[in-house]
Amino acid sequence: MDAIRIRGGRPLKGTVSVSGAKNAALPILCATLLSEGESFVRNVPALRDIETSVALLEFLGRKSVLGPTTVRVGADTGTSRPEAPYELVKQMRASVLVLGPLLARFGRAKVSLPGGCAIGARPIDQHLKGLEAMGAEIKLEHGYVVARGPNGGRLKGADFCFDIATVTGTENLMMAAALARGRTTLVNCAREPEVEELARVLNKMGASIQGAGTDEILIEGKESLHPFDHAIIADRVEAGTFMVAAAATGGDVLVEHAPVEHLEGFLAKLRRAGCVLTREEHGLRVVRSGPILPVDITTAPYPGFPTDMQAQFMVLMCLCNGRAVITETIFENRFMHVSELLRMGANIDVHSNTAIVNGVPALSGASVMATDLRASASLVIAGLTASDETEVRRVYHLDRGYEHIEQKLAGLGADIERVKGVAG
C-alpha cells in the first residue's frame, strides 16, 4: 500500500487549483444512462471513484473513454444490461445512483445493496420508498435491490416527502422522475450544490426540473432525453481542505476556482478562527499570521457547516488558543481520526457525538493510519503542521476524493512525498 510521508513545519505559500467536484461528477456520470447517445463530462477529477464509475458504465454496456479531465460516455450499443454487481458497488457507495436511471430507462434494474461504510451506516430506504411511490415494485433478494416499473413499464409521477434530507436519494429520484409519466413533486429535498448541478445537466438533456437547491423540486417527466456536454463545478470540499491547510500552517495561499458561494457556512468559521480571506479574480486568498482562535462548530446539511469538513477543521482547532467544541450531527461514527490525532499530541475528549478540543502549542510527527476519505485529509494537514516526520498510511482513501494531493501540496512548499509499498 502507498503512504504519504510529510516533514512538517513549513507554512504553505503560493497558488493551488481546485479540481472538479467528485460529488457532482458521480451522479452526472450516472445520468448519461438516461439517454441513448454519446455524452461528454468535462472538468472531471482523476480519482479512484471516477474510475469505478467508468467501469460500472462499461459493465452496463456504455463504452466509455476516460481522459485526464474528461469522460466520454459512448452511445447505447443495444447490449445494455440493467444490473450493477456487488463487485463494483462495494467499491463506491455512490454506485447506487444507477438505480433510478436504469429503472426509469429500462423499466427494470438489479443493483447490489451498498451497505454501510467506515463512517457509519447510510441506508437507502428513502430511495426505495420514493421509487415505490412512483409505482415501482421492489424486492430485496440475496443482497440486491430488484426493481421493476409498473407492469415492467415506465414509472409514474408522484408526490413524495423524504423523511430526512438525503443527497443521493434526492438525486436518484430526480433522475427517475425525469423519464416518468406526469409530474413528480419531491419535498424535504437535499439542497446541496451538487443536487443543483445534476438538475442543470438533466435540464440540458431536455428534462423539466424546477426548484433544485430548495427543499421542494418539481419534475415534469419526458418521453426521452438526449446526450449532453457539460463541465462540472469545482470541488468545494477540496477547496475547503486547502484553505484549512493554509490556515493550520500559518500560510498564504490563493485557492484558484474556489466555489466561494458554496462555502459560506465554512468560511464564516474560518474567519472567526483568525484567518483573513480575500476574494481575488481567480479565487480566494487565505492568510493566517496571528494565533488560531477557538471556534465551536456543529455539522449540518447544506448550507450549514459540512460534515465533510469536520475532520479537517478539527485539526485547526487542535492548535487553537483555547477550547473548541465540535458536534457531529450527520454520521454516527465520524470521529475515528481522533485516536490518530491523539498519537500526534492532540488533546481531544469525545463524548457521544461531541468532541471537546483543547488546543496545544504544536503537534508532533507520528505514524498514523487513515480510516476514511476526510480523515485521511485531516491527518495530512496535521502532518503539515507537526514537528518531525509523519507517515500517513492507507492513503488509498485519499485517492478516492483528492486528485494528486501530495503534488498540489508540494507545489505550495510542503515537504511531502508518496511512498510505495508500505505495510499496513
Side-chain angles (χ1 to χ4, degrees):
M1 295 184 186
D2 291 1
I4 298 290
R5 191 168 292 160
I6 309 160
R7 287 162 284 274
R10 296 186 177 190
L12 298 183
K13 295 182 183 295
T15 299
V16 64
S17 184
V18 179
S19 301
K22 180 196 82 161
N23 290 336
L26 299 179
I28 288 170
L29 288 172
C30 294
T32 63
L33 296 167
L34 291 167
S35 74
E36 295 183 358
E38 184 177 76
S39 290
F40 291 85
V41 187
R42 306 183 189 276
N43 195 34
V44 178
L47 304 172
R48 283 184 58 195
D49 279 6
I50 299 298
E51 294 173 0
T52 300
S53 293
V54 169
L56 181 55
L57 290 172
E58 292 265 2
F59 182 90
L60 294 169
R62 303 299 290 271
K63 185 168 181 58
S64 304
V65 178
L66 177 60
T69 60
T70 62
V71 178
R72 185 181 72 200
V73 181
D76 196 331
T77 61
T79 60
S80 298
R81 46 182 170 179
E83 177 177 342
Y86 171 73
E87 288 73 19
L88 289 171
V89 175
K90 72 176 181 180
Q91 298 180 43
M92 181 184 67
R93 187 184 182 279
S95 298
V96 75
L97 286 168
V98 301
L99 178 59
L102 291 176
L103 185 56
R105 175 90 184 285
F106 301 104
R108 58 192 176 91
K110 183 179 179 181
V111 178
S112 174
L113 286 167
C117 70
I119 59 172
R122 291 187 279 179
I124 61 168
D125 60 309
Q126 296 300 298
H127 306 231
L128 304 185
K129 288 178 180 178
L131 293 172
E132 286 179 327
M134 297 167 70
E137 302 167 7
I138 295 177
K139 297 179 181 179
L140 301 181
E141 297 180 355
H142 308 292
Y144 279 80
V145 176
V146 180
R148 289 176 58 84
N151 300 315
R154 289 178 61 190
L155 296 170
K156 301 177 296 185
D159 295 341
F160 180 73
C161 180
F162 292 98
D163 295 331
I164 57 171
T166 157
V167 174
T168 54
T170 301
E171 292 168 342
N172 232 339
L173 295 193
M174 268 203 316
M175 289 188 282
L179 286 178
R181 298 184 188 277
R183 168 178 285 200
T184 296
T185 302
L186 303 177
V187 180
N188 195 27
C189 298
R191 299 165 58 190
E192 272 73 2
E194 295 79 14
V195 172
E196 279 193 88
E197 182 76 343
L198 176 60
R200 194 173 295 119
V201 168
L202 292 172
N203 284 336
K204 272 190 176 183
M205 299 176 73
S208 176
I209 300 176
Q210 297 179 334
T214 73
D215 62 358
E216 183 170 311
I217 300 176
L218 304 178
I219 306 110
E220 292 285 351
K222 301 294 184 180
E223 287 288 331
S224 63
L225 298 177
H226 50 74
F228 64 90
D229 187 327
H230 184 78
I232 64 172
I233 57 176
D235 194 311
R236 60 194 172 104
V237 179
E238 185 191 23
T241 299
F242 286 126
M243 292 175 191
V244 170
T249 61
D252 179 346
V253 173
L254 174 62
V255 183
E256 282 190 324
H257 314 305
V260 175
E261 66 278 13
H262 300 156
L263 287 165
E264 292 179 358
F266 163 75
L267 294 178
K269 298 294 187 178
L270 205 56
R271 288 190 182 93
R272 289 182 57 188
C275 296
V276 176
L277 310 180
T278 307
R279 288 287 297 266
E280 298 191 7
E281 182 180 358
H282 298 295
L284 185 75
R285 183 172 297 279
V286 180
V287 180
R288 183 190 65 81
S289 56
I292 299 171
L293 305 177
V295 180
D296 297 342
I297 64 166
T298 299
T299 64
Y302 187 85
F305 193 96
T307 181
D308 279 351
M309 284 303 306
Q310 176 256 110
Q312 299 93 308
F313 200 84
M314 183 182 287
V315 175
L316 186 63
M317 292 300 98
C318 285
L319 300 168
C320 77
N321 186 13
R323 186 182 81 162
V325 178
I326 296 177
T327 304
E328 174 60 56
T329 69
I330 308 298
F331 295 119
E332 71 275 15
N333 194 24
R334 205 160 199 182
F335 283 148
M336 289 190 293
H337 49 282
V338 168
S339 61
E340 302 303 294
L341 291 174
L342 293 177
R343 292 167 54 81
M344 300 181 71
N347 183 346
I348 307 168
D349 291 317
V350 174
H351 304 276
S352 185
N353 68 330
T354 299
I356 300 171
V357 185
N358 295 287
V360 297
L363 298 176
S364 55
S367 179
V368 292
M369 187 176 297
T371 54
D372 62 72
L373 172 56
R374 306 309 173 185
S376 304
S378 74
L379 296 177
V380 170
I381 294 171
L384 293 171
T385 73
S387 59
D388 303 322
E389 184 175 280
T390 297
E391 187 173 86
V392 183
R393 301 188 178 192
R394 294 190 178 180
V395 295
Y396 57 83
H397 295 291
L398 269 177
D399 297 334
R400 289 187 49 240
Y402 291 94
E403 181 178 34
H404 309 309
I405 188 170
E406 72 278 8
Q407 296 176 23
K408 290 186 176 184
L409 289 171
L412 295 174
D415 187 348
I416 183 171
E417 62 181 336
R418 180 176 291 255
V419 183
K420 302 286 186 180
V422 176

